[in-house]
Amino acid sequence: MEIQTFGVIGAGQMGSGIAQVAAMSGLNVVMNDIQEAFVDRGFKTIEKFFDRSIEKGKMTAEQKAEVMGRIKPSTDINDMAGTDFVVEAATENEALKFEIFKMLDQACRPEVILGSNTSSIPIGRIAAQTKRPEKVIGMHFMNPVPIMKLVEVIRGIATSDETFQITWQLSEKFGKTPAESSDYPGFIANRILMPMINEAVFALYHGVGTREAIDTVMKLGMNHPMGPLTLADLIGLDTCLAIMETLYDGFKDSKYRPCPLLRKYVEAGWLGRKTGRGFYEY
């Protein structure tokens, strides 16, 4: 199966990044969101990235125009009818993703592969919302998508070998390095990363160190590019909490219990960079 037109559901930070790398690989892209304002914001995010690339001499204005011309805006999920492969990149909310996949299953041709950029929700549960579970797969990109090289490829219990191979090859076409994960809550990346972030929040909660001290120890002591609290702010504290809740619900293990301070910040609307305040102020 040759992928020529690629659909993305969600034009936020992750969705716009996925749309960008797909268009840069030569595919036609349909970038969809529920409001035109959200789609416009996604386009502006992509344009800013390209403008910086032009300033650095990594891209020409003509190349930018060519790639941008391959991305079609959409606010109607039925526009996915003309796509060959769709990736959902909506908020990390199980009920929302279930509803999107039910709609995609109706809108898309039977042979179309439906991928999810979920960072924690088991693919088998998402696939069960469709009549094509063999064509549902996890395609978990890292943030920021245009920069980070990894794509976790997660096959559900019903995912076919053909679906897996097409997704693996598509990841490579995007210039990414795919890694296979089994279908457990959090997969590989967030099963390891999120408990570390959660423990950093517990360290702050218990007064073990200041936010700056905790981040400095992990940066300089463990050679991480940024501290866990700074990273949590970048990811979004609401997303971190949602992933921890998925891990906790999925494994029923107390080591995945979300820190009360993380929950308190989310309830206060302090979600990190996107709201101007998280563990740090922006």
PDB file of all heavy atoms in Angstrom, residues 113-138:
ATOM      1  N   ILE A 113      -5.132   2.919   7.363  1.00  0.00           N
ATOM      2  CA  ILE A 113      -4.566   2.650   8.684  1.00  0.00           C
ATOM      3  C   ILE A 113      -4.843   3.839   9.598  1.00  0.00           C
ATOM      4  O   ILE A 113      -4.668   4.997   9.204  1.00  0.00           O
ATOM      5  CB  ILE A 113      -3.057   2.385   8.588  1.00  0.00           C
ATOM      6  CG1 ILE A 113      -2.806   1.077   7.820  1.00  0.00           C
ATOM      7  CG2 ILE A 113      -2.408   2.314   9.971  1.00  0.00           C
ATOM      8  CD1 ILE A 113      -1.342   0.833   7.505  1.00  0.00           C
ATOM      9  N   LEU A 114      -5.275   3.545  10.818  1.00  0.00           N
ATOM     10  CA  LEU A 114      -5.549   4.576  11.813  1.00  0.00           C
ATOM     11  C   LEU A 114      -4.516   4.470  12.929  1.00  0.00           C
ATOM     12  O   LEU A 114      -4.464   3.461  13.634  1.00  0.00           O
ATOM     13  CB  LEU A 114      -6.959   4.404  12.386  1.00  0.00           C
ATOM     14  CG  LEU A 114      -8.118   4.365  11.369  1.00  0.00           C
ATOM     15  CD1 LEU A 114      -9.450   4.198  12.089  1.00  0.00           C
ATOM     16  CD2 LEU A 114      -8.127   5.618  10.500  1.00  0.00           C
ATOM     17  N   GLY A 115      -3.684   5.489  13.063  1.00  0.00           N
ATOM     18  CA  GLY A 115      -2.655   5.512  14.090  1.00  0.00           C
ATOM     19  C   GLY A 115      -3.022   6.474  15.202  1.00  0.00           C
ATOM     20  O   GLY A 115      -3.790   7.415  15.003  1.00  0.00           O
ATOM     21  N   SER A 116      -2.475   6.224  16.380  1.00  0.00           N
ATOM     22  CA  SER A 116      -2.673   7.146  17.501  1.00  0.00           C
ATOM     23  C   SER A 116      -1.331   7.575  18.054  1.00  0.00           C
ATOM     24  O   SER A 116      -0.431   6.756  18.232  1.00  0.00           O
ATOM     25  CB  SER A 116      -3.486   6.489  18.617  1.00  0.00           C
ATOM     26  OG  SER A 116      -3.609   7.383  19.719  1.00  0.00           O
ATOM     27  N   ASN A 117      -1.222   8.865  18.330  1.00  0.00           N
ATOM     28  CA  ASN A 117      -0.024   9.411  18.964  1.00  0.00           C
ATOM     29  C   ASN A 117      -0.153   9.370  20.486  1.00  0.00           C
ATOM     30  O   ASN A 117       0.570  10.049  21.190  1.00  0.00           O
ATOM     31  CB  ASN A 117       0.198  10.859  18.490  1.00  0.00           C
ATOM     32  CG  ASN A 117       1.475  11.459  19.034  1.00  0.00           C
ATOM     33  OD1 ASN A 117       2.550  10.914  18.876  1.00  0.00           O
ATOM     34  ND2 ASN A 117       1.356  12.600  19.727  1.00  0.00           N
ATOM     35  N   THR A 118      -1.092   8.571  20.990  1.00  0.00           N
ATOM     36  CA  THR A 118      -1.250   8.479  22.441  1.00  0.00           C
ATOM     37  C   THR A 118       0.080   8.154  23.104  1.00  0.00           C
ATOM     38  O   THR A 118       0.878   7.378  22.580  1.00  0.00           O
ATOM     39  CB  THR A 118      -2.294   7.417  22.828  1.00  0.00           C
ATOM     40  OG1 THR A 118      -2.364   7.342  24.258  1.00  0.00           O
ATOM     41  CG2 THR A 118      -1.943   6.054  22.273  1.00  0.00           C
ATOM     42  N   SER A 119       0.296   8.740  24.265  1.00  0.00           N
ATOM     43  CA  SER A 119       1.544   8.513  24.982  1.00  0.00           C
ATOM     44  C   SER A 119       1.391   7.504  26.110  1.00  0.00           C
ATOM     45  O   SER A 119       2.355   7.213  26.807  1.00  0.00           O
ATOM     46  CB  SER A 119       2.074   9.847  25.545  1.00  0.00           C
ATOM     47  OG  SER A 119       1.051  10.545  26.228  1.00  0.00           O
ATOM     48  N   SER A 120       0.167   6.956  26.291  1.00  0.00           N
ATOM     49  CA  SER A 120      -0.001   6.022  27.400  1.00  0.00           C
ATOM     50  C   SER A 120      -1.175   5.067  27.270  1.00  0.00           C
ATOM     51  O   SER A 120      -1.157   3.987  27.860  1.00  0.00           O
ATOM     52  CB  SER A 120      -0.162   6.802  28.717  1.00  0.00           C
ATOM     53  OG  SER A 120      -1.333   7.610  28.699  1.00  0.00           O
ATOM     54  N   ILE A 121      -2.214   5.419  26.519  1.00  0.00           N
ATOM     55  CA  ILE A 121      -3.430   4.609  26.474  1.00  0.00           C
ATOM     56  C   ILE A 121      -3.213   3.363  25.616  1.00  0.00           C
ATOM     57  O   ILE A 121      -2.785   3.476  24.464  1.00  0.00           O
ATOM     58  CB  ILE A 121      -4.610   5.430  25.932  1.00  0.00           C
ATOM     59  CG1 ILE A 121      -4.846   6.665  26.815  1.00  0.00           C
ATOM     60  CG2 ILE A 121      -5.887   4.596  25.845  1.00  0.00           C
ATOM     61  CD1 ILE A 121      -5.794   7.688  26.224  1.00  0.00           C
ATOM     62  N   PRO A 122      -3.508   2.171  26.126  1.00  0.00           N
ATOM     63  CA  PRO A 122      -3.287   0.941  25.355  1.00  0.00           C
ATOM     64  C   PRO A 122      -3.975   0.962  23.994  1.00  0.00           C
ATOM     65  O   PRO A 122      -5.143   1.339  23.879  1.00  0.00           O
ATOM     66  CB  PRO A 122      -3.870  -0.142  26.269  1.00  0.00           C
ATOM     67  CG  PRO A 122      -3.688   0.404  27.645  1.00  0.00           C
ATOM     68  CD  PRO A 122      -3.940   1.881  27.511  1.00  0.00           C
ATOM     69  N   ILE A 123      -3.249   0.540  22.976  1.00  0.00           N
ATOM     70  CA  ILE A 123      -3.747   0.578  21.598  1.00  0.00           C
ATOM     71  C   ILE A 123      -4.918  -0.383  21.408  1.00  0.00           C
ATOM     72  O   ILE A 123      -5.857  -0.103  20.649  1.00  0.00           O
ATOM     73  CB  ILE A 123      -2.610   0.241  20.612  1.00  0.00           C
ATOM     74  CG1 ILE A 123      -1.466   1.279  20.751  1.00  0.00           C
ATOM     75  CG2 ILE A 123      -3.120   0.205  19.177  1.00  0.00           C
ATOM     76  CD1 ILE A 123      -1.903   2.721  20.557  1.00  0.00           C
ATOM     77  N   GLY A 124      -4.884  -1.524  22.089  1.00  0.00           N
ATOM     78  CA  GLY A 124      -5.968  -2.483  21.960  1.00  0.00           C
ATOM     79  C   GLY A 124      -7.310  -1.898  22.349  1.00  0.00           C
ATOM     80  O   GLY A 124      -8.346  -2.203  21.741  1.00  0.00           O
ATOM     81  N   ARG A 125      -7.311  -1.046  23.358  1.00  0.00           N
ATOM     82  CA  ARG A 125      -8.554  -0.412  23.808  1.00  0.00           C
ATOM     83  C   ARG A 125      -9.051   0.597  22.779  1.00  0.00           C
ATOM     84  O   ARG A 125     -10.256   0.734  22.555  1.00  0.00           O
ATOM     85  CB  ARG A 125      -8.335   0.262  25.164  1.00  0.00           C
ATOM     86  CG  ARG A 125      -8.119  -0.741  26.281  1.00  0.00           C
ATOM     87  CD  ARG A 125      -7.573  -0.117  27.540  1.00  0.00           C
ATOM     88  NE  ARG A 125      -8.533   0.764  28.181  1.00  0.00           N
ATOM     89  CZ  ARG A 125      -8.301   1.379  29.333  1.00  0.00           C
ATOM     90  NH1 ARG A 125      -7.132   1.215  29.952  1.00  0.00           N
ATOM     91  NH2 ARG A 125      -9.204   2.162  29.874  1.00  0.00           N
ATOM     92  N   ILE A 126      -8.127   1.291  22.148  1.00  0.00           N
ATOM     93  CA  ILE A 126      -8.504   2.246  21.100  1.00  0.00           C
ATOM     94  C   ILE A 126      -9.019   1.495  19.874  1.00  0.00           C
ATOM     95  O   ILE A 126     -10.035   1.859  19.287  1.00  0.00           O
ATOM     96  CB  ILE A 126      -7.305   3.137  20.734  1.00  0.00           C
ATOM     97  CG1 ILE A 126      -6.913   4.029  21.919  1.00  0.00           C
ATOM     98  CG2 ILE A 126      -7.603   3.982  19.500  1.00  0.00           C
ATOM     99  CD1 ILE A 126      -5.658   4.854  21.712  1.00  0.00           C
ATOM    100  N   ALA A 127      -8.316   0.433  19.506  1.00  0.00           N
ATOM    101  CA  ALA A 127      -8.683  -0.347  18.316  1.00  0.00           C
ATOM    102  C   ALA A 127     -10.075  -0.945  18.450  1.00  0.00           C
ATOM    103  O   ALA A 127     -10.801  -1.096  17.456  1.00  0.00           O
ATOM    104  CB  ALA A 127      -7.656  -1.458  18.082  1.00  0.00           C
ATOM    105  N   ALA A 128     -10.470  -1.281  19.683  1.00  0.00           N
ATOM    106  CA  ALA A 128     -11.773  -1.893  19.920  1.00  0.00           C
ATOM    107  C   ALA A 128     -12.934  -0.957  19.609  1.00  0.00           C
ATOM    108  O   ALA A 128     -14.081  -1.411  19.498  1.00  0.00           O
ATOM    109  CB  ALA A 128     -11.867  -2.373  21.368  1.00  0.00           C
ATOM    110  N   GLN A 129     -12.641   0.327  19.437  1.00  0.00           N
ATOM    111  CA  GLN A 129     -13.688   1.296  19.098  1.00  0.00           C
ATOM    112  C   GLN A 129     -13.995   1.282  17.606  1.00  0.00           C
ATOM    113  O   GLN A 129     -14.895   1.976  17.144  1.00  0.00           O
ATOM    114  CB  GLN A 129     -13.251   2.716  19.503  1.00  0.00           C
ATOM    115  CG  GLN A 129     -12.732   2.847  20.928  1.00  0.00           C
ATOM    116  CD  GLN A 129     -13.688   2.300  21.953  1.00  0.00           C
ATOM    117  OE1 GLN A 129     -14.877   2.629  21.952  1.00  0.00           O
ATOM    118  NE2 GLN A 129     -13.182   1.454  22.850  1.00  0.00           N
ATOM    119  N   THR A 130     -13.234   0.503  16.838  1.00  0.00           N
ATOM    120  CA  THR A 130     -13.375   0.477  15.382  1.00  0.00           C
ATOM    121  C   THR A 130     -13.779  -0.910  14.883  1.00  0.00           C
ATOM    122  O   THR A 130     -13.755  -1.885  15.642  1.00  0.00           O
ATOM    123  CB  THR A 130     -12.051   0.864  14.692  1.00  0.00           C
ATOM    124  OG1 THR A 130     -11.134  -0.244  14.773  1.00  0.00           O
ATOM    125  CG2 THR A 130     -11.414   2.080  15.340  1.00  0.00           C
ATOM    126  N   LYS A 131     -14.093  -0.981  13.600  1.00  0.00           N
ATOM    127  CA  LYS A 131     -14.381  -2.261  12.952  1.00  0.00           C
ATOM    128  C   LYS A 131     -13.168  -2.757  12.173  1.00  0.00           C
ATOM    129  O   LYS A 131     -13.276  -3.692  11.384  1.00  0.00           O
ATOM    130  CB  LYS A 131     -15.585  -2.107  12.017  1.00  0.00           C
ATOM    131  CG  LYS A 131     -16.882  -1.759  12.749  1.00  0.00           C
ATOM    132  CD  LYS A 131     -18.027  -1.535  11.779  1.00  0.00           C
ATOM    133  CE  LYS A 131     -19.301  -1.155  12.530  1.00  0.00           C
ATOM    134  NZ  LYS A 131     -20.429  -0.846  11.596  1.00  0.00           N
ATOM    135  N   ARG A 132     -12.008  -2.094  12.413  1.00  0.00           N
ATOM    136  CA  ARG A 132     -10.765  -2.474  11.716  1.00  0.00           C
ATOM    137  C   ARG A 132      -9.608  -2.575  12.703  1.00  0.00           C
ATOM    138  O   ARG A 132      -8.547  -1.948  12.488  1.00  0.00           O
ATOM    139  CB  ARG A 132     -10.461  -1.444  10.617  1.00  0.00           C
ATOM    140  CG  ARG A 132     -10.176  -0.065  11.170  1.00  0.00           C
ATOM    141  CD  ARG A 132      -9.899   0.969  10.104  1.00  0.00           C
ATOM    142  NE  ARG A 132     -11.136   1.545   9.616  1.00  0.00           N
ATOM    143  CZ  ARG A 132     -11.233   2.298   8.527  1.00  0.00           C
ATOM    144  NH1 ARG A 132     -10.162   2.588   7.830  1.00  0.00           N
ATOM    145  NH2 ARG A 132     -12.385   2.790   8.139  1.00  0.00           N
ATOM    146  N   PRO A 133      -9.735  -3.308  13.787  1.00  0.00           N
ATOM    147  CA  PRO A 133      -8.665  -3.341  14.796  1.00  0.00           C
ATOM    148  C   PRO A 133      -7.312  -3.768  14.243  1.00  0.00           C
ATOM    149  O   PRO A 133      -6.274  -3.381  14.778  1.00  0.00           O
ATOM    150  CB  PRO A 133      -9.193  -4.342  15.837  1.00  0.00           C
ATOM    151  CG  PRO A 133     -10.220  -5.153  15.116  1.00  0.00           C
ATOM    152  CD  PRO A 133     -10.839  -4.222  14.127  1.00  0.00           C
ATOM    153  N   GLU A 134      -7.330  -4.557  13.156  1.00  0.00           N
ATOM    154  CA  GLU A 134      -6.063  -4.993  12.551  1.00  0.00           C
ATOM    155  C   GLU A 134      -5.326  -3.834  11.882  1.00  0.00           C
ATOM    156  O   GLU A 134      -4.128  -3.928  11.598  1.00  0.00           O
ATOM    157  CB  GLU A 134      -6.318  -6.117  11.539  1.00  0.00           C
ATOM    158  CG  GLU A 134      -6.943  -5.686  10.214  1.00  0.00           C
ATOM    159  CD  GLU A 134      -8.434  -5.371  10.288  1.00  0.00           C
ATOM    160  OE1 GLU A 134      -9.044  -5.562  11.375  1.00  0.00           O
ATOM    161  OE2 GLU A 134      -8.995  -4.938   9.269  1.00  0.00           O
ATOM    162  N   LYS A 135      -6.016  -2.724  11.652  1.00  0.00           N
ATOM    163  CA  LYS A 135      -5.414  -1.562  10.996  1.00  0.00           C
ATOM    164  C   LYS A 135      -5.242  -0.379  11.951  1.00  0.00           C
ATOM    165  O   LYS A 135      -5.090   0.765  11.522  1.00  0.00           O
ATOM    166  CB  LYS A 135      -6.253  -1.145   9.784  1.00  0.00           C
ATOM    167  CG  LYS A 135      -6.191  -2.161   8.654  1.00  0.00           C
ATOM    168  CD  LYS A 135      -6.843  -1.657   7.388  1.00  0.00           C
ATOM    169  CE  LYS A 135      -6.642  -2.653   6.255  1.00  0.00           C
ATOM    170  NZ  LYS A 135      -5.221  -2.793   5.888  1.00  0.00           N
ATOM    171  N   VAL A 136      -5.267  -0.658  13.248  1.00  0.00           N
ATOM    172  CA  VAL A 136      -5.043   0.382  14.263  1.00  0.00           C
ATOM    173  C   VAL A 136      -3.704   0.125  14.940  1.00  0.00           C
ATOM    174  O   VAL A 136      -3.380  -1.006  15.299  1.00  0.00           O
ATOM    175  CB  VAL A 136      -6.182   0.398  15.303  1.00  0.00           C
ATOM    176  CG1 VAL A 136      -5.902   1.431  16.395  1.00  0.00           C
ATOM    177  CG2 VAL A 136      -7.521   0.698  14.614  1.00  0.00           C
ATOM    178  N   ILE A 137      -2.927   1.202  15.125  1.00  0.00           N
ATOM    179  CA  ILE A 137      -1.563   1.063  15.651  1.00  0.00           C
ATOM    180  C   ILE A 137      -1.161   2.332  16.403  1.00  0.00           C
ATOM    181  O   ILE A 137      -1.720   3.410  16.174  1.00  0.00           O
ATOM    182  CB  ILE A 137      -0.569   0.786  14.486  1.00  0.00           C
ATOM    183  CG1 ILE A 137       0.789   0.302  15.004  1.00  0.00           C
ATOM    184  CG2 ILE A 137      -0.428   2.016  13.580  1.00  0.00           C
ATOM    185  CD1 ILE A 137       1.652  -0.364  13.930  1.00  0.00           C
ATOM    186  N   GLY A 138      -0.218   2.196  17.295  1.00  0.00           N
ATOM    187  CA  GLY A 138       0.327   3.355  17.994  1.00  0.00           C
ATOM    188  C   GLY A 138       1.528   3.900  17.244  1.00  0.00           C
ATOM    189  O   GLY A 138       2.400   3.139  16.812  1.00  0.00           O
TER     190      GLY A 138
END
